[in-house]
Amino acid sequence: AQTVTQSQPEMSVQEAETVTLSCTYDTSESDYYLFWYKQPPSRQMILVIRQEAYKQQNATENRFSVNFQKAAKSFSLKISDSQLGDAAMYFCAYTGSGNTGKLIFGQGTTLQVKP
Amino acid sequence: NAGVMQNPRHLVRRRGQEARLRCSPMKGHSHVYWYRQLPEEGLKFMVYLQKENIIDESGMPKERFSAEFPKEGPSILRIQQVVRGDSAAYFCASSSIRAGYEQYFGPGTRLTVT
């Protein structure tokens, strides 16, 4: 069975600095997709970034980028120029192309941004 | 273009009552997923439906829980004879295509069982 692990329950960063959130996963599939979702205090789940496993190039969305290491099964999220609005719970998620599209989530990392 | 809608946003039920949670997917989306989030935990998959079909219910508890997505109207997650352990946030997500594509989440329904 596939699993997703986020080993950092909490992280903090100074405003305008850079922070990296870690995520590892376990799968026997070769074709899959990885996501980072943000959940602010409103509890709304917001998609931050998406990565296809067959693509070697790391995905980037404005201040958010990933470091995808397929061999190591690692998928970290880097947030540059952190803003107060980035404070939230961040979830790493996996879905395999061979399954029904259901997302498997990690436990989450709470990010605190200090002014 | 309205996003995924869920109602009610908050639902309080006494033990033994029934809870009905509704989800209207984004326009044009025919794939609906339900997830449950217990306090201080990540989301856990419950069920995946397409119109009039349950595709994957591997995450659904065997008893008291059921889901449907009729040809017309919203998807419904139904919990019979609720217990305190059912208290959680229930999220619905929709997608236009199955695996690999973005799932757009609704705001969730927070169920409290007293």
Side-chain angles (χ1 to χ4, degrees):
Chain A
Q2 297 92 357
T3 58
V4 177
T5 302
Q6 293 178 250
S7 58
Q8 304 157 316
E10 295 179 357
M11 292 282 285
S12 66
V13 63
Q14 208 69 36
E15 195 176 5
E17 297 293 308
T18 295
V19 65
T20 299
L21 308 184
S22 301
C23 173
T24 59
Y25 57 94
D26 189 26
T27 183
S28 58
E29 296 180 295
S30 58
D31 191 16
Y32 50 86
Y33 304 83
L34 297 162
F35 306 86
W36 278 97
Y37 280 89
K38 171 185 177 182
Q39 187 179 44
S42 67
R43 301 184 70 86
Q44 175 72 53
M45 294 290 287
I46 302 165
L47 177 66
V48 174
I49 201 165
R50 167 177 174 260
Q51 174 81 43
E52 295 95 329
Y54 65 85
K55 287 188 177 179
Q56 293 186 346
Q57 186 172 6
N58 289 324
T60 299
E61 287 288 340
N62 300 315
R63 296 182 296 107
F64 298 87
S65 62
V66 298
N67 183 5
F68 174 47
Q69 301 288 328
K70 191 171 183 179
K73 295 180 181 174
S74 170
F75 182 61
S76 60
L77 174 70
K78 185 171 83 170
I79 307 173
S80 303
D81 186 24
S82 298
Q83 301 175 359
L84 295 177
D86 295 334
M89 179 83 92
Y90 286 82
F91 291 100
C92 178
Y94 165 101
T95 187
S97 61
N99 70 11
T100 56
K102 64 187 179 189
L103 292 170
I104 299 169
F105 285 89
Q107 307 93 316
T109 296
T110 300
L111 177 66
Q112 184 183 43
V113 181
K114 298 178 180 177
Chain B
N1 186 13
V4 178
M5 299 176 68
Q6 288 188 251
N7 65 81
R9 294 291 306 276
H10 300 275
L11 182 62
V12 179
R13 285 287 179 266
R14 291 195 176 126
R15 279 180 297 171
Q17 291 185 318
E18 178 180 288
R20 281 185 179 237
L21 288 62
R22 296 175 188 78
C23 168
S24 296
M26 284 182 69
K27 187 176 182 180
H29 286 191
S30 58
H31 302 254
V32 167
Y33 300 80
W34 284 94
Y35 297 86
R36 177 165 65 174
Q37 184 177 31
L38 295 171
E40 308 303 324
E41 293 188 12
L43 280 71
K44 296 285 197 294
F45 167 78
M46 299 182 73
V47 62
Y48 161 46
L49 311 102
Q50 295 180 25
K51 287 284 188 181
E52 301 184 279
N53 284 301
I54 296 175
I55 307 301
D56 181 352
E57 57 182 347
S58 59
M60 285 276 271
K62 298 292 183 225
E63 298 178 349
R64 303 186 298 107
F65 286 71
S66 62
E68 62 177 9
F69 188 15
K71 187 176 181 181
E72 300 291 336
S75 175
I76 306 286
L77 179 66
R78 182 183 177 205
I79 311 172
Q80 295 178 291
Q81 299 176 318
V82 296
V83 301
R84 289 236 171 96
D86 297 332
S87 295
Y90 292 82
F91 289 91
C92 166
S94 73
S95 174
S96 59
I97 305 176
R98 189 176 57 83
Y101 288 82
E102 290 87 348
Q103 292 183 21
Y104 294 89
F105 282 80
T109 293
R110 185 187 290 269
L111 172 66
T112 302
V113 179
T114 61

